[in-house]
Amino acid sequence: MRMSVTRINEFRARPGGGDVLRDRLMEFLPVIESLEGCLSCQLLQSQKNPEHVIFIEVWESVESHLVALLDSPAGKMEEILKLLEAPPSGDYFNYCHV
């Protein structure tokens, strides 16, 4: 039985830029959700530190996520990178229960 995989992406905005970053990333939600292999996508902003924003994406597989990356609009991502204090980070996670 093949299980889905969760991708968690972390973004840290420049000081005071958390809301702008959140709004820009929200534009990606419908795009990501429409990609083949995407099972769900959520965007969360820290209550304690609004500059900390994460995407939680659930994909059919790592491969389906990597293929979907080829369809992402590069220009939009360059705009996001300008808002960040540091490069984004991310990793794939497996569910540890049945």
Side-chain angles (χ1 to χ4, degrees):
M1 174 182 205
R2 190 170 183 153
M3 301 283 294
S4 61
V5 64
T6 299
R7 171 79 186 183
I8 299 177
N9 301 294
E10 292 192 67
F11 299 87
R12 296 207 182 261
R14 297 180 188 277
D19 290 344
V20 173
L21 175 62
R22 178 204 60 221
D23 292 346
R24 294 295 179 273
L25 289 172
M26 286 201 47
E27 296 172 9
F28 280 89
L29 276 172
V31 173
I32 293 170
E33 291 174 326
S34 71
L35 294 171
E36 187 173 338
C38 181
L39 303 175
S40 69
C41 184
Q42 296 178 331
L43 180 65
L44 294 88
Q45 184 178 27
S46 171
Q47 291 182 358
K48 185 177 176 182
N49 179 2
E51 279 71 37
H52 187 200
V53 181
I54 63 172
F55 258 125
I56 300 176
E57 306 169 38
V58 180
W59 291 86
E60 290 176 356
S61 66
V62 172
E63 295 77 19
S64 63
H65 177 252
L66 294 174
V67 168
L69 285 178
L70 299 174
D71 291 332
S72 353
K76 288 255 187 203
M77 197 54 178
E78 287 178 17
E79 181 182 321
I80 297 293
L81 293 174
K82 292 177 184 175
L83 300 172
L84 301 179
E85 185 171 69
S89 63
D91 203 355
Y92 297 98
F93 294 84
N94 292 323
Y95 289 98
C96 298
H97 62 85
V98 182

